[in-house]
Each structure stands twice: as C-alpha cells, then as structure tokens.
Amino acid sequence: MTRPTIAITMGDPSGIGPEIIMKALALPEVHAICRSLVIGDAARLRQAGRIVGAGIAVDSLPDAGAAKFESTAVQCVDLNLVPEDLPFGRLSAAAGEAAYRYIEKAVRVVQAGQAQAICTAPLSKEALHAAGHKFPGHTELLAHLTGTPEVSMMLVSPKLRVIHVTTHVGLIDAIARIEPGLVERVIARGHDVLVKAGIEDPKIGVCAINPHAGEGGLFGRGEEAEKIAPAVEACRARGWDVSGPLPADTLFFLAGRGDYDMVVAMYHDQGHGPIKVLGLESGVNITVGLPVVRTSVDHGTAFDIAGKGIADERSLVEALRQATALAPKSAPATHATPSSTG
C-alpha cells in the first residue's frame, strides 16, 4: 500500500516545532509509515537540525510537486518567511504571521491532492493575534480556511479518547453555549470517526457539567436535564451505544480502564486534564469535522525550552501515526515514486 503524504506545518518558528520536526523525521519508523512534507522555512529547519543533532539534510522546495520522497533529506516547501535573526523562545508578530501562512499553504496542498492529511506543530495564539489573525487556535483557524461551519476537537492517548463540546471559551461562556443540538452533533462527529477507524459499535460516555451529574438537581440549575440528556436520548434513538450525562470523575476512570471507547467532555479543562495526566508525550489532537484530516501534538510552543535541543518529539510521532491511520489510503499519481527510505 502506498504511504500517504502528510503535510507537516512547522508551527511557530520561535517555538519547539522546528526541533521536534527534525527529531521526528530522523526516525526510520516515521518514514516507514508515511511520506513527510514540511510546510515551513528550510533555513529554520536546518538551524533546528544542528541544535538537536538530527544529522539529516533539508531540501528547499518551491512547491509540493517538487518533492522527492526517495531522498533521505527532509522535504520542505520553503515559504522563506523567518528573519535570519529571529530568536528562539521569544514571542513575535513575525513568527505568528509565519505560522499562519504555513497552515494556509498546507490547506491548499491537501485540497490540491498533493497530500492526504495535515499534521501541525504548535503555534502561539498570542503571536497569531499579534500578527492580526484573531483565532483562538488551530481548530478555529482550520475551520475558517476550509469554510467549515463547525468542527470538534478530539484528544487521543493510548488509553483514552475525548471529544469536546466546547473548547477555547471561558467556563461561564461554555456552559451558556452548550445546548442539545450542539451536544448531539459533537457525539455524531465522534461516532463517525470511531466507526471509520474500525470500531463497529463504539461505546460512548457523555460527561455531565456539574459534580455528581447534578445529584438530581442538588448541584447546578438543571443543566444536565436541559442541555445534555435530550442529545443522549436522540443518539440512542439512532441505535448508538451512548450513556449519560455521567459524573465526569467516574466516567474518566471507567474510560481509562477500557469501559468506553470515547468520552464527550463539556468544556476544555474537563477533557484536557485527564489526557494530560496520562502524558503529554503520548497525546494527539485531532480536528473532527473538517474536509481534510488534521492531527496535532497535544502541547504548546514551549518557549522556555525552545532552541535548547531538549524538546520531546514523541507526541509529534504519535500525531503522524494518527494522521497516517486516518488519511485516505490512496496517494495521488502526481507525486514522485516513493522508496523505503521515504
């Protein structure tokens, strides 16, 4: 089977993205599963390669069609946006603008059939905003670039899958935003992804908002009955194995031991906390509902360690594995013929 081509965005060039990309692409196991096409700046990747001691070259490409996947060098569509003196570990509008352009280009590459999925290195929301791009994060930016009205964030670790009803909003705003139609659509998107991944009849648990799922009205203002229960019943009416609303603390314990294939979290920290406790190095962020496959590392730019050569690439490697698993299984004929060296 032909390995899919994964477009890897470099993320914020002042963060750890360039370093973890070079570390990941030096691993034979990555080349064995996919063909990697970095969308970024070749000079920055070379600099990062020297910092981490990757020992691999970087080819500067004018466009995706020029990629030579039989080469052992990193294939980089070079947008040449990073100033030579841009420091690691420092927030800047220039870095935010570059991060935006990498994502924009990656979307075009996938839409043109030159790659089958996108895998994103981390960006800085503050730098993105400083560059004039007012998006809360990758998820909302990708939805905008692809004209998708609504998407969901799913976090995946070896022991847990979590999809979020709300993400980058304050807690009070999140509770106000939750309503049965939204909850049902999120459950449906998650169910669809699991079925496509080969889980024939996934068992899905839905978190409550309040402690003890409201304790029969003792906690909260009836949010579970008003906002969540109707969506659960609608999904059960479709013949799906969906339970809830359930107390979040108990549900995550049960899911962690394998009783559920996916948890539906109501807000950002409710879902992110358990995943991150299990280990940032193994977590992957998947945007569900886009017309293109997108996975990402489950960590930030780590400005405090950027440029020091100590960033952990394992989350990126896992994100590439997930992108490969979810990508369409046939590659376009326009690519150069791949070899086992990728």
Side-chain angles (χ1 to χ4, degrees):
M1 183 182 295
T2 302
R3 293 166 300 150
T5 300
I6 311 298
I8 306 171
T9 58
M10 203 174 75
D12 190 302
S14 293
I16 62 173
E19 293 168 82
I20 61 173
I21 287 172
M22 294 301 290
K23 292 176 78 170
L25 297 190
L27 300 172
E29 65 195 77
V30 171
H31 295 284
I33 62 171
C34 66
R35 301 185 295 185
S36 302
L37 181 68
V38 181
I39 313 297
D41 273 63
R44 193 64 158 186
L45 288 176
R46 294 186 188 108
Q47 182 183 9
R50 291 190 294 271
I51 290 171
V52 302
I56 50 176
V58 178
D59 286 346
S60 176
L61 310 176
D63 55 58
K68 298 177 180 178
F69 293 110
E70 70 274 14
S71 172
T72 57
V74 172
Q75 300 299 292
C76 174
V77 176
D78 190 3
L79 301 193
N80 194 25
L81 296 171
V82 180
E84 290 185 10
D85 59 350
L86 185 74
F88 280 99
R90 189 175 303 169
L91 186 144
S92 73
E97 178 65 23
Y100 176 87
R101 296 301 169 192
Y102 303 151
I103 300 163
E104 183 181 53
K105 180 65 173 178
V107 169
R108 292 175 185 163
V109 166
V110 174
Q111 289 175 334
Q114 295 174 306
Q116 287 72 60
I118 296 171
C119 181
T120 58
L123 55 70
S124 163
K125 299 176 183 66
E126 192 174 351
L128 193 68
H129 288 194
H133 304 292
K134 306 297 184 180
F135 296 94
H138 267 121
T139 301
E140 297 82 3
L141 173 52
L142 283 159
H144 168 74
L145 290 172
T146 59
T148 306
E150 188 175 272
V151 296
S152 298
M153 176 188 292
M154 178 183 285
L155 301 181
V156 177
S157 75
K159 290 187 176 181
L160 194 63
R161 300 181 190 90
V162 184
I163 193 168
H164 293 68
V165 174
T166 66
T167 49
H168 297 120
V169 293
L171 183 56
I172 292 175
D173 294 330
I175 294 171
R177 189 172 296 184
I178 297 166
E179 51 87 18
L182 174 59
V183 175
E184 183 179 353
R185 293 192 299 275
V186 171
I187 296 172
R189 280 192 283 272
H191 184 274
D192 182 59
V193 166
L194 296 184
V195 170
K196 288 180 178 178
I199 302 173
E200 188 173 340
D201 186 23
K203 186 174 178 62
I204 299 171
V206 182
C207 288
I209 295 172
N210 295 298
H212 301 188
E215 195 76 72
L218 182 62
F219 304 130
R221 300 178 182 179
E223 289 89 354
E224 280 71 27
E226 175 190 346
K227 295 172 175 287
I228 304 172
V232 172
E233 291 305 312
C235 291
R236 292 178 64 86
R238 301 192 196 191
W240 298 347
D241 189 349
V242 180
S243 302
L246 300 170
D249 51 358
T250 302
L251 175 53
F252 277 108
F253 167 74
L254 296 175
R257 74 178 188 185
D259 292 6
Y260 290 90
D261 296 301
M262 183 179 74
V263 172
V264 181
M266 290 298 119
Y267 53 91
H268 185 282
D269 285 10
Q270 187 180 59
H272 278 60
I275 287 283
K276 292 190 175 183
V277 165
L278 291 174
L280 282 173
E281 72 283 350
S282 62
V284 175
N285 181 335
I286 302 172
T287 304
V288 180
L290 291 172
V292 299
V293 172
R294 179 261 174 163
T295 67
S296 178
V297 295
D298 185 30
H299 58 70
T301 52
F303 284 147
D304 58 324
I305 63 169
K308 297 180 180 179
I310 60 175
D312 192 324
E313 77 280 7
R314 285 178 291 177
S315 182
L316 179 60
V317 172
E318 188 59 33
L320 287 167
R321 290 187 188 280
Q322 292 289 341
T324 299
L326 295 171
K329 296 303 182 281
S330 60
T334 53
H335 284 298
T337 302
S339 73
S340 61
T341 58

